[in-house]
Amino acid sequence: MSAEPPLPRHHLPPDRLAELVRGEGGPATVDLLLGGERSRRLLLLRMLDDATDLGPAWNLLSEAQHRAPHVVDDLLMYPQTGMWLTTALRRLRGRAPKEEPPLWVELGHMQALAAAAALRAELDFSIEVPVRHGRVSLPTLGCAVLPVAEPWARATVRAEGGRTVVETAGVEVAVPSAAGSAGPGWHPVRRLTVGPKERQLVIALDDVDPYRTYPEPTEPRPLSGEAAAQWRRMLEQAWELLLREQPETAEAMRRGMFSLTPTPAGERFRPRSVSAGDAFGGVEASEPDDAVQLAVTLVHEFQHTKLGGLLHLTPLLTHGSDGITELWYAPWRNDPRPLEGLLQGIYAFAGIARFWREHRRVTSARSAMAHFEFALWRTHVATAMEQVHHHPRLTPLGTTLLDTLRGHCAQWLAEPVPEEYLALARLCADDNLARWRAHHRRPPAPAVEATVRAWLDGASRPPRSLASEPEIVPDPSARWLDSLAILVRHRLSGVDEDRIPLDAPEKAAARVTGALTGDALLAVGDATAARHAYLAHLAAEPGPAGAWAGLGRALAVADTDPRAARLLCHHPERARAVHQALLRVTGTAPDPIRLATWLDSPPV
């Protein structure tokens, strides 16, 4: 008996792989990634069928595939389908932490998927589907709202002669025949088409699919017509910008971006966006401040999408052998990150640095902000890469990717930026790192105890043990490490409402969550006043890491107390830990600057 021929493997030619390594990737490269994702989805679907009886849903999906294969392919490649498949398989394997919805509801989404496929393939059919909190979601189409009191129930989707209804307990909701149309009890998935005919982006504005949010499913939150119109306007403007300034990226997005999940607006200059490797082509994003912010968000998440697709084909890291998870400084996060997460961030924020590099060349009204953002993000990316570019877990491809991005970043760092904005970017980058250290670096307890004794004994300098590299201990209270950068953005925006009033820095700080009065003063360049504000804050509340880091930055900018400035800029965790220990032991807090100056003395 002859052996079966081996299955074909997905392959990225060297030129396509080189594009991805550079952080780029055109439509042809994205098509290759999509081919890999399609095979992966089919494998996951087969695994799910092997693990449980999909029964009528499998049969109906197969019938739809026979009638309209392009419809089933579209549903299969929909980001929310990928999210559901991995969520369901994790539930079956006992690896999902949540117990809701019940497993039968999770698995029953297959019936909803099959119903959507059959409806779009214009089949006559009837199938039972789950009801989640009174809603039935049909992927890519919309959701029906039913008068069901129980959180989890069942309904029937029935199509006959071109008429489709969702029915339970004698109540019917008609599904409009025209895609994207609303009706009584029916919320459609809107399809947005923006851009000129030959360069259009067609994307679902999905506010109803339970698997549209990452990493956890959530119930539908339909937008109002006004809110949807605002998203369309923002997307049109962002797409116009991308076509003009990032045409290659825009062309790739046309092939690989399928779904945009809107969430409520967050704080100004603090957008929230999420994507997931299991949901290729999906983006969850908060309502943006403006079109530029939305364009940056799309670039950011599309970088994650491309890297996620690459990682499904080939690894960039080997598995750790000792079971210890190393944690690293990621300038765009409040928390320490494992190597896998740091690599994702480097790739995504290299794309953001590239965006601002191009944007500052073509913009005039926002040139101040563009200069600042470019200088800040190139610094953040370079800092992150310097930590790990020789890491032993990097595969040869992972090494090539980081080396290539480091080369690009080195070129960016050599590009001139006006001194005012360069100084602000350095200030914010250094402050962010110092705040992170103050939160997450923990000097050894014995060294802190020995330092307290030395201080109380009147020693001329701290013990040598305090100078050893502190370990990383994640501090769950770490929040808003970017507060100074947010305040600088308010200063540079050119919008009157954003201006920081010099006579009322407390009000400016109150507009930015996590910001201190000293931060607002530092953002406008008044380092002397910032110094006094940080000291006053530490006198009232000695613990906050941001005040320790900010004090060091204020001392450095004001060029006073250089030894204290050096210690607080580079090792604020030492001053914070010893200060807190002295307060516990003596009941009296020492002067922060005097303590930091002493701690900077050459150790014994």
Side-chain angles (χ1 to χ4, degrees):
M1 182 177 181
S2 60
E4 293 185 3
L7 292 174
R9 291 178 177 270
H10 290 277
H11 175 66
L12 287 172
D15 57 336
R16 304 303 181 197
L17 192 57
E19 287 182 2
L20 294 170
V21 163
R22 294 194 302 268
E24 302 166 2
T29 301
V30 172
D31 281 343
L32 291 171
L33 295 177
L34 283 169
E37 288 299 310
R38 182 179 185 278
S39 292
R40 183 174 184 269
R41 299 275 175 90
L42 288 169
L43 286 170
L44 292 175
L45 192 58
R46 172 54 67 187
M47 290 168 63
L48 190 63
D49 186 48
D50 289 343
T52 185
D53 182 14
L54 297 179
W58 184 270
N59 295 335
L60 184 58
L61 189 67
S62 298
E63 188 178 352
Q65 201 277 337
H66 181 74
R67 168 75 69 87
H70 65 282
V71 164
V72 175
D73 262 8
D74 184 62
L75 275 161
L76 182 69
M77 294 306 298
Y78 197 54
Q80 281 64 285
T81 301
M83 206 67 209
W84 163 68
L85 281 167
T86 53
T87 301
L89 285 167
R90 289 188 186 108
R91 286 287 301 272
L92 285 171
R93 296 174 180 180
R95 292 168 53 191
K98 291 183 66 175
E99 296 183 359
E100 290 191 346
L103 183 59
W104 68 265
V105 173
E106 201 95 79
L107 297 178
H109 191 72
M110 177 66 181
Q111 280 93 280
L113 194 72
L119 198 160
R120 291 177 56 185
E122 300 181 349
L123 295 173
D124 288 347
F125 68 94
S126 177
I127 192 169
E128 190 176 78
V129 295
V131 182
R132 307 165 65 119
H133 296 281
R135 296 178 175 89
V136 172
S137 173
L138 298 181
T140 73
L141 296 175
C143 80
V145 181
L146 298 166
V148 176
E150 298 83 3
W152 321 111
R154 291 177 171 84
T156 299
V157 180
R158 185 170 55 253
E160 185 175 2
R163 181 175 183 270
T164 304
V165 298
V166 182
E167 184 272 333
T168 189
V171 177
E172 290 186 350
V173 171
V175 179
S177 57
S181 298
W186 176 257
H187 295 288
V189 173
R190 298 175 176 89
R191 308 288 295 189
L192 303 184
T193 302
V194 296
K197 185 174 181 180
E198 68 280 4
R199 304 173 74 191
Q200 286 180 340
L201 174 69
V202 180
I203 193 168
L205 187 68
D206 195 337
D207 51 358
V208 295
D209 193 300
Y211 297 94
R212 74 197 183 282
T213 53
Y214 319 129
E216 298 293 339
T218 55
E219 297 311 312
R221 295 188 181 92
L223 292 173
S224 67
E226 181 181 355
Q230 173 66 5
W231 271 99
R232 178 184 290 277
R233 285 191 294 271
M234 283 289 186
L235 187 62
E236 286 173 344
Q237 295 169 20
W239 188 244
E240 180 183 356
L241 185 154
L242 289 171
L243 287 175
R244 182 175 64 250
E245 299 180 15
Q246 307 269 323
E248 295 85 3
T249 297
E251 282 301 312
M253 282 182 183
R254 292 181 63 211
R255 293 291 304 131
M257 190 167 282
F258 309 124
S259 167
L260 175 61
T261 294
T263 61
E267 189 174 321
R268 185 148 167 76
F269 299 117
R270 275 180 171 150
R272 176 187 176 274
S273 64
V274 186
S275 54
D278 294 324
F280 188 102
V283 175
E284 178 186 352
S286 59
E287 182 181 336
D289 297 341
D290 53 35
V292 175
Q293 189 180 87
L294 180 56
V296 172
T297 294
L298 295 179
V299 168
H300 175 187
E301 298 304 340
F302 193 58
Q303 288 290 101
H304 282 304
T305 292
K306 290 185 295 183
L307 187 60
L310 176 61
L311 288 170
H312 285 161
L313 296 176
T314 184
L316 301 179
L317 297 169
T318 61
H319 293 291
S321 58
D322 52 12
I324 298 175
T325 300
E326 292 180 297
L327 297 174
W328 304 91
Y329 170 55
W332 37 84
R333 297 276 301 211
N334 293 312
D335 55 332
R337 298 294 288 159
L339 186 55
E340 292 82 357
L342 182 64
L343 191 62
Q344 280 277 357
I346 288 169
Y347 198 80
F349 284 94
I352 286 181
R354 184 182 288 112
F355 172 91
W356 285 110
R357 176 177 181 261
E358 185 61 30
H359 189 61
R360 76 188 189 118
R361 293 181 176 180
V362 299
T363 186
S364 56
R366 294 176 57 95
S367 58
M369 188 77 81
H371 287 311
F372 168 76
E373 297 288 3
F374 172 61
L376 179 65
W377 290 114
R378 70 181 182 178
T379 301
H380 278 336
V381 172
T383 299
M385 284 194 288
E386 287 308 307
Q387 300 175 99
V388 297
H389 73 278
H390 287 314
H391 199 284
R393 283 187 58 203
L394 288 166
T395 66
L397 180 59
T399 298
T400 299
L401 183 143
L402 272 190
D403 284 348
T404 303
L405 292 181
R406 282 183 76 230
H408 286 306
C409 203
Q411 294 175 8
W412 300 340
L413 288 167
E415 295 182 14
V417 171
E419 182 57 37
E420 176 187 358
Y421 311 123
L422 182 62
L424 285 171
R426 287 172 175 164
L427 177 74
C428 293
D430 291 344
D431 180 75
N432 198 89
L433 175 56
R435 290 177 190 239
W436 186 91
R437 287 192 67 101
H439 273 291
H440 301 298
R441 287 289 189 183
R442 190 75 54 84
V448 174
E449 294 169 4
T451 304
V452 168
R453 290 194 297 270
W455 171 271
L456 295 176
D457 290 344
S460 61
R461 60 195 66 196
R464 183 178 298 277
S465 58
L466 191 67
S468 59
E469 183 67 9
E471 63 178 328
I472 295 178
V473 180
D475 177 2
S477 73
R479 295 287 189 278
W480 322 117
L481 304 189
D482 62 349
S483 293
L484 182 59
I486 301 300
L487 285 162
V488 167
R489 291 181 176 107
H490 277 274
R491 170 184 165 182
L492 298 178
S493 73
V495 177
D496 288 341
E497 292 79 4
D498 286 338
R499 297 190 186 281
I500 299 175
L502 296 178
D503 59 341
E506 299 89 351
K507 291 183 180 179
R511 293 186 308 196
V512 176
T513 305
L516 306 176
T517 300
D519 299 335
L521 290 164
L522 197 56
V524 294
D526 194 343
T528 300
R531 173 184 186 272
H532 293 304
Y534 287 126
L535 286 172
H537 195 97
L538 288 171
E541 188 181 355
W548 285 101
L551 177 59
R553 207 59 48 200
L555 296 177
V557 174
D559 199 20
T560 62
D561 306 286
R563 288 169 57 190
R566 182 167 55 242
L567 187 285
L568 291 175
C569 285
H570 297 290
H571 300 288
E573 71 279 358
R574 295 180 191 173
R576 186 181 184 221
V578 173
H579 190 273
Q580 290 176 329
L582 281 166
L583 182 59
R584 286 194 302 268
V585 170
T586 67
T588 303
D591 176 76
I593 295 179
R594 178 169 169 252
L595 175 63
T597 300
W598 179 77
L599 289 173
D600 191 63
S601 303
V604 177

